[in-house]
Amino acid sequence: MAFSFFGGIHPKENKHYAEERSVQAFPAPDVVVIPMSQHIGAPCKPLVKKNDIVTKGQKIGDNQGLCVPVHASVSGKVKAVEARPHTNGSTVMAVVIENDHQDTLCPDIQPRTKEQVDALTAEELVSIIREAGVVGMGGAAFPTHVKLSGAIGKADTVIVNAGECEPYITADDRLCQEMPEEVVSGLQIAMRILGLKEGHIGIEDNKPKAAAALKNAAIGTGIIVDVLPAKYPQGAEKQLIYAITKRQVPSGGLPAAVGCVVINAATCKAIHDAVYKGMPLIERIVTVSGDIVMEPKNLMTPIGTSFNEMMEACGTSENPYKVLSGGPMMGAAQFDLSVPTMKAVNAITILGHANNFYVEEPQCLRCGKCIEACPMKLVPVLMYKALFTNDPEEMKAVHMMDCIECGCCAYTCPACVPLVLGFRSGKHIIRTAAAAAAAKK
Ligand code: SF4
Ligand code: SF4
């Protein structure tokens, strides 16, 4: 069976920099900065204050509504509760902890036996996942307990996204090679919550070792490992669903609209850790890679470690042109490298000046390459034109909100038109207009 989707591109994968590097524990830094907003939804309110003593894994922030708690990734003393830079370019409230290097574990963290886990109800499992602060770790950062509980009785298919189609990033590849049982176990827990006997793991054919490890771990579980041809953006939710099920998520719709739930591979491990180890999400694998990185690495990193420290541990051969949180296609450029790693930061990509494709006043050539590349079947050239109207209705009319910001159009554009950058700001204009209209009602 051929798995694929419309459009897409084949950028240089550049996985070779880090794919053979085993996951290494990054030494816990002297200070961690834990942002209160690491997920989609309401930011957490700090539960600690300056000079409080905290333990590793202790809940230090929470809120009501669409929210998951955050936890201390080290034990030590709270140095400050204050606004700090965030990878999204803003500043957000954060708890700054001075590490005492004692690794004193929070007494609430208690592992469970298989028998204890088997006795848990779906509601109890959802509650454990929430309390552990689990979110979508592929970049979306949507609270996982909400995704799963909202799909109970509606979803008939659960898919683990192990696609990792962005160039340079190898964090999930290494995770699936080195900890396939945890990934499979997390998926089994999701299947139990959803009442499903069958689950899928989607992975690209450029990760044969990880695919083999997952297949081995999945024997006898009812889990199918779907090996898909490598094509960007195979790891995008809608493209993955189409490739595996041939179901098309409608415009503006969520995967649940076609009976699907998609969970990232790292999220599966976090679910496993929460349920079996009682461990909240306080560390994750981060790939530090790029064309000027001296020693690319996959680092198991405490949440709250600064980009600066991780970059220093890997070294660069020249002053970076660009440092991205994430990969080169969808990542966000960082201007303040004191920003901390967070739950959904899977990579720090450091690029040299050879990657500078900036063009002063680029002119569209009307070549149509962007249309062929768009996996959402959009017309980027028209969307770009709509931006100049500054009219949110015009932008909506060309389906700008359906843009998944994959960057395929900008990658193929021979005129270097900054398409994605424009679409991000266009979407912001649409959202702001919608919020203003709602406030008037
Ligand atoms: S960034 Fe948006 S418009 Fe461009 S190819 Fe991706 S989905 Fe299409
Ligand atoms: S690829 Fe670039 S130059 Fe070609 S039509 Fe699209 S925006 Fe214009």
Side-chain angles (χ1 to χ4, degrees), residues 363-371 380-381 409 412-415 417 419:
Q363 299 298 320
C364 172
L365 309 169
R366 305 250 180 261
C367 67
K369 286 191 173 159
C370 54
I371 304 169
V381 57
C409 52
T412 50
C413 178
V417 177
L419 297 162

Side-chain angles (χ1 to χ4, degrees), residues 374-376 378 380 383 403-409 420 423:
C374 179
M376 294 302 290
L378 301 174
M383 291 158 65
C403 169
I404 57 170
E405 299 175 24
C406 65
C408 290
C409 52
V420 192
F423 303 154

Side-chain angles (χ1 to χ4, degrees), residues 137-211:
M137 293 168 72
F142 189 79
T144 302
H145 72 284
V146 178
K147 183 181 267 194
L148 290 173
S149 58
I152 295 173
K154 294 179 194 149
D156 60 17
T157 305
V158 57
I159 302 170
V160 171
N161 185 353
E164 198 166 56
C165 54
E166 272 251 8
Y168 291 103
I169 309 178
T170 53
D172 285 352
D173 182 6
R174 292 309 313 186
L175 169 73
C176 294
Q177 283 188 54
E178 297 180 43
M179 300 163 226
E181 291 82 11
E182 279 96 327
V183 176
V184 165
S185 164
L187 173 54
Q188 286 180 296
I189 293 165
M191 286 159 60
R192 253 188 71 198
I193 291 170
L194 298 168
L196 304 178
K197 294 267 179 283
E198 187 185 292
H200 291 263
I201 301 178
I203 186 162
E204 290 189 323
D205 59 7
N206 58 358
K207 304 172 191 74
K209 289 182 194 161

Side-chain angles (χ1 to χ4, degrees), residues 225-384:
V225 179
D226 300 292
V227 181
L228 313 165
K231 179 165 78 158
Y232 181 84
Q234 184 66 81
E237 210 166 57
K238 291 176 182 176
Q239 282 62 35
L240 188 66
I241 290 170
Y242 184 74
I244 290 179
T245 68
K246 292 286 173 277
R247 298 179 198 170
Q248 204 141 17
V249 180
S251 169
L254 294 171
V258 292
C260 291
V261 173
V262 180
I263 318 168
N264 169 264
T267 309
C268 280
K269 181 187 182 301
I271 292 172
H272 167 85
D273 289 349
V275 172
Y276 280 94
K277 299 180 184 167
M279 185 60 80
L281 177 45
I282 57 170
E283 62 177 14
R284 67 153 301 144
I285 305 173
V286 181
T287 300
V288 182
S289 187
D291 60 341
I292 58 163
V293 177
M294 311 275 277
E295 264 190 86
K297 290 177 181 171
N298 295 293
L299 296 165
M300 186 63 86
T301 312
I303 301 293
T305 305
S306 79
F307 274 36
N308 261 330
E309 275 174 275
M310 296 181 70
M311 286 171 63
E312 266 169 37
C314 300
T316 55
S317 57
E318 63 177 75
N319 262 342
Y321 161 64
K322 208 185 249 187
V323 177
L324 297 139
S325 170
M329 301 299 293
M330 295 188 73
Q334 300 300 307
F335 303 99
D336 182 341
L337 300 179
S338 72
V339 288
T341 54
M342 287 181 274
K343 295 176 185 182
V345 174
N346 56 359
I348 301 174
T349 305
I350 309 163
L351 302 175
H353 289 264
N355 297 278
N356 182 353
F357 302 112
Y358 178 75
V359 170
E360 197 90 38
E361 295 185 21
Q363 299 298 320
C364 172
L365 309 169
R366 305 250 180 261
C367 67
K369 286 191 173 159
C370 54
I371 304 169
E372 283 166 35
C374 179
M376 294 302 290
K377 300 186 181 172
L378 301 174
V379 186
V381 57
L382 288 185
M383 291 158 65
Y384 192 68

Side-chain angles (χ1 to χ4, degrees), residues 47 67 82 104 108 111 123 132 179 264 328 376 380 416:
L47 301 174
C67 180
E82 61 189 21
T104 312
D108 297 344
E123 288 71 24
M179 300 163 226
N264 169 264
M376 294 302 290
C416 297

